[in-house]
Amino acid sequence: MQTSKKKVSRVLPYWLLNPDVAELDFLSNQLPVKQLKGLDGVLTDKLEKLGFTFFFPVQRQIIPILLTSGQNQYHRPNDVCVAAPTGSGKTLAFVLPIILSLKSRMVPKVRALVVLPTQDLALQVYKVFNVFCEGTGLRVKLLTGQQSLAQEQSDLFRVGRTGLVHHLADILVVTPGRLVHHIRETKQLDLTALRYLVIDEADRMILNISDDWLNVLESAVYSGGRCRPGPLNVVNARRSELALQKLLFSATLSQDPDKLEQINLFEPKLFRCVVPVKDLEGNVKELDDGDRSEERRVG
């Protein structure tokens, strides 16, 4: 007797089905730079000095979330996934809260790592970090293979006369292949204090996950006495262990749970910025460069 096979309907996880959605309407509900709670005067003054006046919707949506989650480095925060169109201001949405969270550091250690698929994209993000790290004491380094391994190593650490290794970077901006190369060849590279892992252009990075860069990275992070976090339960919640928060940013974030599962996300939250219908109809147009002299918005 032939039995018919039952069709299995695929059910998306709750966090994918229930994103926090913000309309990407640049001309309504504009939030002045000075009015975003949580940013200190150094950063807001720098924004205004550079001519920025208003925050983009994705920045209004994400920056307060990351500022709140970064207040306790030993409380494991939700991982964050952000889907927003190219040009919507995603870079500053993670640059500003990371700098604010890290700038009180006493001794330089790598505490934030930003991974991008290409050298050009990594260079763009590195330049943004450099601008806003100025005056904070934080140091950002770029590892993409444009310099020799020895040159990049000299930017990461120096060895004192007593043999003590002095780390020179708080934030690393890298490509995945170069990151793996350094983890394997640069024995002094210490990632055990990492607090933020930003995966920018996440869809492209997920496709590149077959190179095993994430597993290599996590093995380096959870070493030297730092334990991998266990499942969410009462016992693990009571442990005071340094938390690592993963932040995924993409213009077209995958809806495939199997692909996202490869990132090993913890209780993730999804934020989406969508273009309102009136923008799609062409009734609202973004100001061109010539119109931004008085009201420049953060991009």
Side-chain angles (χ1 to χ4, degrees):
M1 182 177 177
Q2 194 173 18
T3 57
S4 58
K5 292 183 179 179
K6 290 184 178 180
K7 290 185 178 180
V8 179
S9 340
R10 186 163 199 165
V11 179
L12 291 176
Y14 178 85
W15 67 276
L16 277 174
L17 286 171
N18 297 272
D20 189 323
V21 179
E23 282 199 347
L24 198 64
D25 188 340
F26 296 109
L27 300 182
S28 67
N29 301 319
Q30 293 179 325
L31 179 69
V33 166
K34 289 285 189 182
Q35 291 184 18
L36 182 62
K37 295 180 180 179
L39 284 184
D40 68 1
V42 174
L43 290 178
T44 55
D45 288 346
K46 184 177 289 291
L47 287 166
E48 290 192 336
K49 185 178 179 180
L50 292 170
F52 297 132
T53 306
F54 296 103
F55 281 111
F56 278 172
V58 67
Q59 295 157 352
R60 298 201 307 264
Q61 187 185 32
I62 300 303
I63 290 175
I65 298 293
L66 298 186
L67 288 177
T68 301
S69 65
Q71 289 175 354
N72 186 346
Q73 63 177 320
Y74 295 105
H75 169 71
R76 191 176 184 188
N78 300 82
D79 291 333
V80 173
C81 300
V82 180
T86 301
S88 58
K90 294 189 293 292
T91 301
L92 276 187
F94 62 80
V95 166
L96 295 178
I98 286 176
I99 289 175
L100 189 60
S101 174
L102 301 186
K103 73 187 190 77
S104 59
R105 68 102 169 93
M106 300 299 292
V107 178
K109 283 188 176 180
V110 177
R111 290 176 296 155
L113 184 70
V114 186
V115 190
L116 296 106
T118 68
Q119 291 182 341
D120 289 342
L121 290 172
L123 180 59
Q124 291 174 27
V125 172
Y126 167 75
K127 288 179 177 178
V128 176
F129 265 113
N130 254 342
V131 169
F132 289 94
C133 281
E134 185 181 358
T136 65
L138 295 174
R139 298 176 182 178
V140 56
K141 303 296 182 183
L142 179 68
L143 305 177
T144 62
Q146 290 184 321
Q147 292 182 307
S148 69
L149 190 68
Q151 287 174 314
E152 290 181 343
Q153 287 172 337
S154 68
D155 284 338
L156 290 176
F157 62 88
R158 60 180 175 83
V159 181
R161 292 181 179 178
T162 60
L164 183 65
V165 176
H166 299 275
H167 298 281
L168 304 178
D170 301 281
I171 301 165
L172 295 181
V173 182
V174 305
T175 50
R178 198 58 166 179
L179 172 64
V180 170
H181 197 179
H182 272 286
I183 290 174
R184 290 173 174 166
E185 301 296 332
T186 307
K187 303 306 179 184
Q188 296 89 342
L189 178 59
D190 184 357
L191 298 173
T192 58
L194 195 68
R195 287 183 57 191
Y196 296 100
L197 171 60
V198 180
I199 304 176
D200 205 355
E201 300 290 334
D203 270 359
R204 295 171 66 180
M205 295 301 300
I206 290 172
L207 291 175
N208 200 25
I209 208 75
S210 58
D211 292 344
D212 214 29
W213 67 266
L214 184 58
N215 284 331
V216 172
L217 169 62
E218 290 191 327
S219 295
V221 170
Y222 299 112
S223 62
R226 182 175 179 179
C227 299
R228 286 181 182 268
L232 183 60
N233 55 38
V234 175
V235 174
N236 289 326
R238 289 177 176 173
R239 293 177 179 172
S240 295
E241 296 178 342
L242 185 63
L244 173 63
Q245 186 177 26
K246 294 175 182 174
L247 312 176
L248 275 64
F249 290 81
S250 179
T252 54
L253 190 66
S254 174
Q255 291 288 298
D256 186 341
D258 293 336
K259 289 183 179 179
L260 291 169
E261 190 177 349
Q262 298 176 80
I263 308 295
N264 303 323
L265 298 173
F266 172 75
E267 297 291 313
K269 290 188 175 182
L270 173 61
F271 299 88
R272 288 191 176 278
C273 273
V274 298
V275 179
V277 174
K278 61 179 179 294
D279 283 0
L280 293 175
E281 294 173 349
N283 293 329
V284 176
K285 295 182 179 179
E286 186 178 354
L287 298 177
D288 62 30
D289 290 339
D291 293 327
R292 294 184 186 180
S293 57
E294 295 183 2
E295 291 190 348
R296 186 175 180 185
R297 294 152 296 153
V298 180

